[in-house]
Amino acid sequence: MGAELPVAEGLVYGAGGQTLDVYRGGGLQETLPVVLLWHGRGADERDVLAPLASAVAAAGALVLVPDWRPDAPDAGRSHLAESVAFARRNAARFGGDPERFVLAGWSLGAKAAIGVALNPDGLDGWRPTAVVGIAGGYGTAAPTTGAVPLDDLLGAGAPPPSTPVWLLHGTADTVVDVRQSRALRAALERLGGRVTLVEADSDHAGVIMAEYDLAAARCRPSTAAHALRAGARAARLVARAAGAGAQRADSMTA
């Protein structure tokens, strides 16, 4: 998969003035599935997801990566909701199909995305076509819903989730234990949900082709072999969830 540069950078998407970048793969006449990709706990860190977004776009998707602020008074819920509204409203403008909409996230962003798929009160009942959680923890409240994703699944009378769930987690993750994703998979399977879990030989940042820079107190792109392998698997997983590049995706495994 070749690199894709943003086709639009720093677009303001909501009342709070937060911005996002848009990456587009595929031919100019092709209508692409849409992927909205949320970063983790660091405030306004959309740049951290640039390598992953580029790889997903190169596989044949329209990818939007917004900044958001988990340290906001509402834990970032309004930013996340506004980014969804913007993507649904403007996807066609960039050649995307808003009816094929994958919500994906990394770390805290994964919890936020999974929360939307599992809780009908998340975004006024809206559901994505599929959801992808990368290195997420699902035992505490999601910023999108205020509810715990595992509790949403395990509550009395919880219905089988209708949204396909795709998960990826690094087995060397010391920030969020891989058992978090295993527990979510087990709960979904018990309810008859459609779920796929891929485990990669990498750590928390490596699964998005990044590494943590202690001096800068943020993630930066990584050239480590384990990160490049894991990040490529994550990109293929998101592309598969979106149905991007179907012929190419059918020939690859996550």
Side-chain angles (χ1 to χ4, degrees):
M1 291 180 290
E4 294 288 334
L5 297 176
V7 296
E9 296 181 88
L11 297 179
V12 175
Y13 68 80
Q18 302 303 115
T19 55
L20 59 75
D21 297 334
V22 181
Y23 299 75
R24 191 189 193 286
L28 293 178
Q29 305 306 314
E30 187 178 359
T31 301
L32 304 176
V34 178
V35 175
L36 181 62
L37 182 57
W38 288 338
H39 65 71
R41 186 171 296 279
D44 295 340
E45 288 191 342
R46 72 182 191 274
D47 59 294
V48 168
L49 291 175
L52 179 61
S54 177
V56 175
L62 178 73
V63 186
L64 296 89
V65 188
D67 277 338
W68 66 286
R69 297 196 66 93
D71 59 352
D74 66 352
R77 182 174 184 173
S78 60
H79 296 155
L80 297 170
E82 287 171 348
S83 73
V84 170
F86 179 94
R88 294 177 67 194
R89 189 170 60 247
N90 291 281
R93 166 184 165 195
F94 298 103
D97 178 0
E99 299 303 315
R100 293 185 290 160
F101 192 122
V102 172
L103 188 57
W106 168 67
S107 193
L108 184 60
K111 183 189 300 184
I114 293 292
V116 171
L118 301 184
N119 189 312
D121 298 324
L123 289 176
D124 298 323
W126 175 80
R127 288 287 192 282
T129 307
V131 63
V132 183
I134 302 171
Y138 308 106
T140 56
T144 40
T145 65
V148 177
L150 278 170
D151 288 352
D152 287 334
L153 283 175
L154 301 175
S162 59
T163 303
V165 176
W166 302 73
L167 304 170
L168 184 138
H169 215 118
T171 55
D173 194 331
T174 59
V175 177
V176 180
D177 196 287
V178 66
R179 287 176 291 186
Q180 293 268 347
S181 288
R182 292 171 182 168
L184 184 65
R185 177 187 60 183
L188 284 161
E189 287 177 340
R190 283 195 294 273
L191 287 173
R194 291 171 289 171
V195 58
T196 299
L197 170 60
V198 172
E199 296 187 10
D201 182 19
S202 190
D203 56 25
H204 193 65
V207 293
I208 57 163
M209 300 185 227
E211 61 188 12
Y212 187 70
D213 184 333
L214 187 60
R218 65 187 294 119
C219 289
R220 64 180 182 186
S222 175
T223 58
H226 72 87
L228 295 178
R229 287 194 306 268
R233 295 186 78 182
R236 290 197 296 269
L237 188 76
V238 177
R240 285 178 60 196
Q247 293 181 343
R248 282 171 290 168
D250 286 344
S251 69
M252 299 186 296
T253 59

